[in-house]
Amino acid sequence: MDWLTIGRKPAADPAINSDRVAYPQGYGIDKYKRGLEPPSDKRLIELACEDVTKALRERSIRSLPAQRRREIADASTPQLRAQLAQIERGLALYRSPGAMAAVLTEGREMPAAVCAAAPTAGRRGMAVAVDH
């Protein structure tokens, strides 16, 4: 498969994507919503390459131990630190339902293991809401 075929598959505009479906998160959705021309072939290739590069970077970072990821984040630029935070959030979402609750509620709900280790007003071993 070539990069253009890969880029056309998730394109927002059904006139250029291979499924002939308007994808709400597809490449060029902003232009499609405004009725403008879809992205050029060159731009579709660029977008596909960016997504694959990002996915490979995330996969390699996800395989590192937590301490190593922290070291990388500490030595990173603010922009890279923001990207790493998104990756960490994604990792937390897949760890457990409790971890997912903590991520989605920005720490107001904590996993049972965290609650069991810390003194709380809730019962030991239960996920509780935490007011900040």
Side-chain angles (χ1 to χ4, degrees):
M1 220 183 256
D2 64 294
W3 285 106
L4 182 56
T5 303
I6 294 168
R8 283 190 175 170
K9 178 75 175 168
D13 192 329
I16 63 168
N17 75 30
S18 53
D19 292 337
R20 302 291 183 225
V21 175
Y23 291 116
Q25 300 297 321
Y27 297 149
I29 188 64
D30 297 335
K31 288 183 171 188
Y32 178 69
K33 285 181 178 178
R34 293 182 302 196
L36 301 174
E37 290 291 317
S40 67
D41 288 352
K42 180 182 178 194
R43 183 65 185 141
L44 287 173
I45 291 169
E46 290 169 355
L47 291 167
C49 289
E50 288 170 12
D51 277 356
V52 169
T53 301
K54 181 180 176 185
L56 290 172
R57 184 181 324 121
E58 286 181 11
R59 187 172 70 185
S60 66
I61 289 173
R62 287 176 188 218
S63 66
L64 296 173
Q67 180 58 36
R68 182 66 184 127
R69 291 193 313 266
R70 275 189 227 102
E71 292 168 0
I72 291 170
D74 290 343
S76 299
T77 64
Q79 295 84 5
L80 182 55
R81 218 173 283 131
Q83 289 179 350
L84 291 170
Q86 287 178 329
I87 293 169
E88 288 295 328
R89 179 182 164 102
L91 284 171
L93 286 171
Y94 294 105
R95 283 190 196 116
S96 72
M100 182 183 295
V103 170
L104 295 175
T105 62
E106 296 177 348
R108 292 186 303 274
E109 291 248 349
M110 300 300 289
V114 172
C115 293
T120 65
R123 291 188 181 167
R124 191 170 177 85
M126 292 182 61
V128 296
V130 178
D131 290 328
H132 289 288

